[in-house]
Amino acid sequence: MKKIAFSKWRSTGLTVFLCAVPFTKPSETIPTVKRLETVDVPDLGHRSLLRNASSSVVTSASALVSQGLMTLNELNTAYIKEAYHLVTLFTEHSSITDQNLGILEDDLWQEIIESRAKLEENKRAMQEVESVLRSALTVLQSAGEAAYLAGVEYSVLEAKSKHQQATDYLSLIQSEARRADRELTKIQARGIKETPTQEKGEGS
């Protein structure tokens, strides 16, 4: 009787234990392994490095050319303004000389001297910037050739376009400066020509 009771208790206990353990599907208990995503590894071969380097040089040289043109344009604008201001001063000085206004003539002549000094200083600054700009254009041209050999077509086009635009704009700036110089030379020559005539009239 005790044997039967014990066997019955063991059977009942086992049933309770099994009911207490949660039953799950095998697929839920085994963690799923995610599929690894493929990552594009950049090509670090010699050809790729050359392409990147030549493209970077074109971009840097192009930026230097742009900055040089901006600086030269500002200096040229100031130069032309000062040159025509000097033309006006020479014209006024010529008219005052005819009227024999001594003190006013001296003041005006001092202003002419100061304007000439500014003009010369501005001209030297323009020459320095133009020298840098021409060197940058040479670098840009060489960088374009290197980009062509490396097979970077867009950099070749960028270098050619920038070089042509900069060269055309540089010619325009130089043309404007030469025009102002001609006007200044003309008014100065006129003043030199009139001076001996005036001295001859005063001596007679």
Side-chain angles (χ1 to χ4, degrees), residues 82-113:
E82 194 65 42
Y84 282 108
H85 175 61
L86 192 53
V87 168
T88 303
L89 291 176
F90 272 118
T91 304
E92 292 178 1
H93 182 268
S94 179
S95 62
I96 289 175
T97 303
D98 293 339
Q99 300 175 20
N100 294 323
L101 300 175
I103 297 177
L104 188 58
E105 181 182 353
D106 292 340
D107 292 342
L108 192 55
W109 187 250
Q110 183 62 37
E111 191 174 350
I112 287 174
I113 293 173

Side-chain angles (χ1 to χ4, degrees), residues 9-198:
W9 176 85
R10 187 175 62 180
S11 176
T12 305
L14 180 61
T15 304
V16 172
F17 175 76
L18 291 174
C19 291
V21 176
F23 181 76
T24 57
K25 294 181 181 180
S27 60
E28 293 178 351
T29 57
I30 301 175
T32 57
V33 179
K34 291 185 178 181
R35 187 177 179 182
L36 294 176
E37 298 180 356
T38 57
V39 180
D40 294 332
V41 179
D43 182 14
L44 297 178
H46 293 301
R47 186 169 182 80
S48 177
L49 292 173
L50 286 174
R51 287 167 61 89
N52 292 338
S54 60
S55 178
S56 298
V57 174
V58 168
T59 302
S60 299
S62 181
L64 180 57
V65 168
S66 297
Q67 188 62 48
L69 283 174
M70 288 176 59
T71 306
L72 188 60
N73 182 61
E74 291 177 1
L75 290 172
N76 185 66
T77 301
Y79 180 83
I80 292 173
K81 182 179 179 181
E82 194 65 42
Y84 282 108
H85 175 61
L86 192 53
V87 168
T88 303
L89 291 176
F90 272 118
T91 304
E92 292 178 1
H93 182 268
S94 179
S95 62
I96 289 175
T97 303
D98 293 339
Q99 300 175 20
N100 294 323
L101 300 175
I103 297 177
L104 188 58
E105 181 182 353
D106 292 340
D107 292 342
L108 192 55
W109 187 250
Q110 183 62 37
E111 191 174 350
I112 287 174
I113 293 173
E114 293 175 0
S115 181
R116 273 179 170 172
K118 288 181 183 178
L119 199 66
E120 287 300 320
E121 183 180 352
N122 201 303
K123 192 171 187 176
R124 284 193 297 270
M126 286 176 63
Q127 290 171 345
E128 291 175 1
V129 174
E130 186 177 333
S131 179
V132 174
L133 179 57
R134 289 192 179 280
S135 297
L137 286 171
T138 302
V139 173
L140 181 60
Q141 186 175 10
S142 299
E145 293 172 358
Y148 174 78
L149 295 174
V152 191
E153 295 181 1
Y154 65 90
S155 292
V156 176
L157 294 175
E158 179 186 353
K160 283 185 177 180
S161 176
K162 191 69 177 181
H163 191 280
Q164 186 62 50
Q165 291 175 1
T167 303
D168 292 343
Y169 196 68
L170 179 59
S171 298
L172 178 62
I173 290 176
Q174 292 173 333
S175 176
E176 292 175 347
R178 284 195 298 267
R179 189 181 302 116
D181 287 338
R182 284 196 298 269
E183 291 296 323
L184 184 57
T185 302
K186 190 187 301 182
I187 193 69
Q188 286 177 321
R190 187 187 306 169
I192 294 172
K193 188 176 180 180
E194 289 175 353
T195 302
T197 306
Q198 292 172 356

